[in-house]
Amino acid sequence: MNDDVSSHPVFLMRDHKLLVDLSSGVPRVPDRSVAEEFGLSFADGYRLGPLNGVDCYALSVTGEDEPSRGMDYLGLRKLFGVLDDTRYDMAVKALAILNWDRTCRFCSACGSPLRRHETILAKVCEVCGSTMFPRISPAVIVLVERHEKVLLARASRFAENLYSVLAGFTEPGETLEDTVRREVREEVGVEVGDIRYFGSQPWPYPDSLMIGFTASWVAGEIAADNDEITDARWFTADDLPKIPDRLSISRALIDWFIDKHRKGK
Ligand SMILES: [Zn+2]
């Protein structure tokens, strides 16, 4: 961790990976002077916010030039728990904004090229005047409890033997609570109530916002849809299967359940 006030990090990304300095043995976000080595101007980047009183920027590296001086590009999953929270959150924001910048280039109304808005995080069509904001796709993630047990499911896209809480994207016209009820019903055939907000997590792969909830079983026996979900079961806190790592809000939800039910044991 580098909290030297003279250090002003810059977030350079290529192919969804962040440029980090590995020369000290621990990955750190390089100083802004490195942007000059790549011939990049902050005017072409996006402001992420201040750190130690100085604005930090996100910039895309497009060339194939290899980074110098013990630097390399690492995926953000590898940097979770390695960078401090402030820098990690900035890297997540950088990934989301630069991905939007790369993929949102033409007006979705008339097909004309877009230009960046001067003052806000948006792009403008000079032909029809439409304004395009970065897309954020809300998805719910929900831990369902039944007495002392938690509902965990194996999704077909998961690594082998991994079980987690249920998740799904919000559809037009739904409240987040509607999404929770529909997803749980569709994926495992269970009705839930007492839906409570837990927390949220930006998930820039590519543009999700994960919104976490807890809920209680109301009715129905588990019947996995055998499409997205291949198996689902009730587990106690002392008999859990393989669960996700600490990176995700799904793990935070499961840890909340474990803490609640293992207390005093
Ligand atoms: Zn247009």
Side-chain angles (χ1 to χ4, degrees), residues 240-258:
L240 291 172
K242 186 178 171 191
I243 54 176
D245 63 28
R246 290 192 309 111
L247 172 64
S248 60
I249 191 170
S250 51
R251 177 58 181 267
L253 278 159
I254 296 169
D255 284 346
W256 170 85
F257 171 82
I258 293 170

Side-chain angles (χ1 to χ4, degrees), residues 173-188:
E174 283 186 327
T175 66
L176 298 172
E177 291 83 355
D178 290 338
T179 312
V180 167
R181 281 185 287 267
R182 177 181 54 75
E183 282 291 337
V184 177
R185 188 183 304 126
E186 284 178 0
E187 294 189 343
V188 296

Side-chain angles (χ1 to χ4, degrees), residues 147-177:
H147 309 303
E148 301 284 296
K149 293 185 173 179
V150 59
L151 196 168
L152 298 177
R154 241 191 70 66
S156 48
R157 63 193 153 80
F158 285 174
E160 201 176 348
N161 292 329
L162 183 75
Y163 281 73
S164 188
V165 292
L166 299 173
F169 285 101
T170 300
E171 294 182 350
E174 283 186 327
T175 66
L176 298 172
E177 291 83 355

Side-chain angles (χ1 to χ4, degrees), residues 107 109-112 125 127-130:
C107 176
C110 77
S112 302
C125 175
V127 175
C128 78
S130 293

